[in-house]
Amino acid sequence: RRSTRASNDRVESLAPNLAHVLAVIALAVFAAIHFRAGAGRVAPSSGDASDSKSVSAGFAIPTEKMASASASLGSHPAGRKLTVDDLILGCSPLAGIYASSTPERATETVRAALDAGITRFDTAPHYGLGLSERRLGDALRECGADMSKTRVYTKVGRVMKPKDEVTASEKESAVEWGNVPGDPGCIFPDAPVDVLPVLDYTGPGFRRSHADSLARLRLGSVDGLRIHDAEDEARYAQANAGGGVAELVKLRDDERAIREVSLGMNDAAFVRRMLEDNPPGTFDSVMMAGAWNLLDQDGGDVLWECERRGVAVHNAGIFASGLLVGGSHYKYAPAPPDIVARTERWRALASKHGVPLPAVAIAFACAPRVVKGCAVGVKSPEEVAQSVAWLADANAVPAQLWVDAKELGLLAPDVPTPSPA
C-alpha cells in the first residue's frame, strides 16, 4: 500500500494584476492543505494512474517530497563496515510461512544465527498465531542463548484467544479470519487451529498481548514491543485514542517492563502519522517493511522524520518481498512487468560491477545513518549463512555502482547511498 500525496499542478504564467496574485495565493493555500491531508490517506493499487511519483527513477516517493526528505538524509560515515550487528533475524519463517516447517528446523536456524553472532530477533503473535514466538523461545533455551546479550522484539495489536473465549461480536467484527488455518489467505499452514486472532489495539489489548507473548516465549521480558499493522483508521484510532500507545509508554517508563516502544508497519503514511500525532520521545524505534529498498523508497520522508526525532529505524523488506533474491512476488503479489524489468536492470548493474544483487540490496538498505539494523527473514541454517555472506559482499560494493545507478535512473540523485571509503 502506498501513500497518496497531492501532485504539483502545472501553473501557467499569470499577468501581474491583483486578481491573478490573489488566485496564486489561493492556489498555494489549497495545495498546502491538500498535501497535508493527503499524507495520511491510503492510495489505490500501485498501477493507479493518479499516483504522482518519480517514475523514471523507480521511486515511490512523490517528486515534490523527495528533495525535502532524502536530501536531508545522511549516510553512515565513510569507511564504515557492515557486520552481523547490523542484522536482525526476522522470525516469521520459523512458523513455516507459505510452507510447513518443523520445530527442529527452527531451532537449527536460530542456532546458526547465534553462532554467526546475530543477537537481535524479531517475532510477532501474528506469525503462525503465536507459533513463531513459541519456536523462537524454545530455540533460544535449547541453544543456551545468553539472554543478557540477546534482544527479542515482538508485536501487539492481535490477541490470540482460545476459540471458546471469543465472543459473537468479536467473531463478527474483530477476528482476522484471513489468517485462520483453512482460509485461502492464511500463509502459515502450521498455525494452531484452537485459537483465533482478535484485533485489539486498546491499552488493555496491548497489555494482554504482551503477557501472552511472554508466556509463549517463556521469557521474563522482551526488549521491545512494536505496534503491528495499525494501518487503517479503526486500528489507528484504537492505538491512539484507545490508549494503546499510552499503555506501551507506561510499560517502558513506569514499569520498566520493556526497553523500547516501537512500530512494526508497512504503510509509510501511517508510520509518519503515528510519529507526528504523538509527543517526541514516545517511540524509540520503527520497523518499516518494504518502504526503503532498491525498488521502492516510499519511506524516505519517514526516515527523514525519524532522523529529526532521534528514532532508530529497523529496515525490513529489504529484498522487496524476495524479488531481489530471485523470487517472483512483490508486495505480496506477483511482481508486475515494470518491477520485474527494473529488477533485471539492477541485476545487470550488479553483475557489471562483480557483486551479487542481494549484497547491493543490503548495502543500500543499511546506508542511511538513521537505519540501525536490517531484518532478514530466513528459514534454514543455509539461509543464515547466505545472508551473512551477502553482508560481507555488501562491504565490497564499489562506489561507482551508485554513480551508475543514478545515471541510469534507477535511483534519484538525492537518495543517500553508502559513503565511499
Side-chain angles (χ1 to χ4, degrees), residues 32-46:
I33 293 172
H34 185 54
F35 177 83
R36 179 64 180 167
R41 294 198 303 270
V42 177
S45 67
S46 59

Side-chain angles (χ1 to χ4, degrees), residues 49-359:
S50 67
D51 208 13
S52 174
K53 303 222 167 72
S54 180
V55 176
S56 64
F59 272 86
I61 300 178
T63 306
E64 68 271 20
K65 283 296 289 179
M66 200 65 230
S68 65
S70 67
S72 302
L73 278 175
S75 298
H76 282 287
R80 169 182 178 258
K81 294 295 183 184
L82 297 172
T83 72
V84 290
D85 289 337
D86 293 295
L87 294 182
I88 301 168
L89 196 78
C91 295
S92 61
L94 301 186
I97 188 170
Y98 298 117
S100 183
S101 189
T102 65
E104 293 76 18
R105 195 176 195 193
T107 298
E108 292 166 0
T109 302
V110 171
R111 188 186 306 279
L114 292 168
D115 289 346
I118 296 173
T119 60
R120 289 185 286 177
F121 299 82
D122 181 83
T123 183
H126 176 54
Y127 305 153
L129 306 190
L131 187 59
S132 172
E133 291 180 319
R134 292 185 191 279
R135 288 182 174 177
L136 174 60
D138 290 345
L140 290 172
R141 280 186 301 280
E142 186 170 333
C143 296
D146 182 350
M147 296 310 296
S148 69
K149 299 177 180 178
T150 302
R151 305 189 66 180
V152 175
Y153 295 82
T154 191
K155 303 182 181 75
V156 292
R158 297 172 174 93
V159 176
M160 303 301 126
K161 291 188 176 182
K163 283 186 173 180
D164 58 4
E165 185 184 325
V166 180
T167 66
S169 175
E170 287 174 330
K171 288 179 180 179
E172 183 175 343
S173 62
V175 171
E176 203 170 35
W177 291 105
N179 291 317
V180 175
D183 187 279
C186 180
I187 60 176
F188 293 98
D190 297 331
V193 297
D194 58 345
V195 298
L196 291 175
V198 178
L199 297 171
D200 191 340
Y201 289 80
T202 65
F206 281 7
R207 182 168 286 273
R208 171 165 176 177
S209 181
H210 174 228
D212 289 350
S213 289
L214 294 181
R216 286 188 291 265
L217 287 159
R218 288 197 284 165
L219 294 176
S221 64
V222 292
D223 280 83
L225 290 175
R226 308 191 198 274
I227 300 175
H228 201 187
D229 297 340
E231 295 167 326
D232 64 33
E233 295 301 333
R235 299 184 195 188
Y236 187 87
Q238 263 199 345
N240 286 282
V245 174
E247 193 68 29
L248 296 189
V249 171
K250 182 179 179 181
L251 285 169
R252 180 192 62 192
D253 295 349
D254 298 343
E255 302 178 27
R256 307 294 183 185
I258 57 175
R259 294 182 184 178
E260 292 186 25
V261 174
S262 185
L263 300 173
M265 297 164 66
N266 297 283
D267 193 313
F270 275 96
V271 174
R272 178 146 188 172
R273 280 179 64 185
M274 193 71 80
L275 292 170
E276 293 177 341
D277 288 349
N278 287 282
T282 298
F283 299 105
D284 304 286
S285 65
V286 163
M287 175 170 274
M288 189 167 57
W292 191 262
N293 56 55
L294 293 178
L295 300 178
D296 188 344
Q297 292 88 45
D298 244 352
D301 53 348
V302 173
L303 266 62
W304 173 81
E305 185 66 20
C306 285
E307 185 165 83
R308 189 178 74 83
R309 290 171 175 261
V311 175
V313 172
H314 299 159
N315 196 1
I318 65 173
F319 296 135
S321 302
L323 196 59
L324 296 172
V325 293
S328 59
H329 283 69
Y330 177 71
K331 293 186 181 291
Y332 312 106
D338 63 317
I339 295 295
V340 173
R342 191 178 302 145
T343 302
E344 290 309 310
R345 293 177 67 201
W346 270 112
R347 198 179 312 281
L349 182 60
S351 178
K352 173 186 173 182
H353 288 279
V355 288
L357 179 56

